[in-house]
Amino acid sequence: FVKAHNIPFKMNPSFPINSLHLMRGAVAAQHLGCFRPYVDAMMAAMWEDGANTGDPAIVQALLDQSGLDGAAMLAKAEDPEVKAELVANTEKAAARGAFGVPTFFANDEIFWGKERLPQVADALRKG
């Protein structure tokens, strides 16, 4: 998939990381209306740049560099409402069979991994 789509990729030397604050950050980004830029910035940092996204100070700097307010996002990620929403989202996803990122559901069928996107599109077309 990486070669076929000419995506820059390198294994992050800090992987695996504790991604809890990143997941909370994604929920916070939804609340703040900047989910897509957040995901784009964090995925590029993790899988293209090799940044240690397990370090909140590095995450804040990366968010600031991408034009987002890193301090506000990290603060929002600590909001009890955001934490509870992540727990609820995780429980719902696990109940459906999700086990990693990215997981896609097309109708009742589960697909895991970005390289499965053509299969997801096909399943959606078939309805």
Side-chain angles (χ1 to χ4, degrees):
F1 185 90
V2 168
K3 287 180 185 177
H5 295 278
N6 196 28
I7 297 172
F9 171 84
K10 64 180 171 185
M11 190 61 192
N12 190 310
S14 300
F15 188 81
I17 62 154
N18 179 343
S19 61
L20 180 60
H21 70 277
L22 290 177
M23 293 183 292
R24 288 178 180 161
V27 175
Q30 289 175 316
H31 285 242
L32 297 170
C34 57
F35 180 72
R36 175 80 187 253
Y38 174 85
V39 171
D40 289 347
M42 292 300 94
M43 288 297 199
M46 181 71 170
W47 299 116
E48 295 174 24
D49 303 331
N52 182 358
T53 55
D55 181 334
I58 291 173
V59 169
Q60 180 174 339
L62 291 165
L63 291 169
D64 290 339
Q65 290 167 14
S66 69
L68 298 169
D69 184 340
M73 295 199 68
L74 291 180
K76 182 68 174 173
E78 293 303 315
D79 183 310
E81 180 183 331
V82 166
K83 291 178 178 183
E85 188 173 338
L86 176 60
V87 169
N89 290 349
T90 302
E91 290 172 351
K92 182 178 174 184
R96 287 191 74 189
F99 57 91
V101 174
T103 298
F104 304 96
F105 292 96
N107 306 312
D108 291 330
E109 196 168 357
I110 187 172
F111 299 89
W112 184 79
K114 191 172 185 175
E115 69 278 3
R116 301 288 181 241
L117 285 174
Q119 293 170 306
V120 173
D122 187 50
L124 290 171
R125 277 191 295 275
K126 291 177 182 174

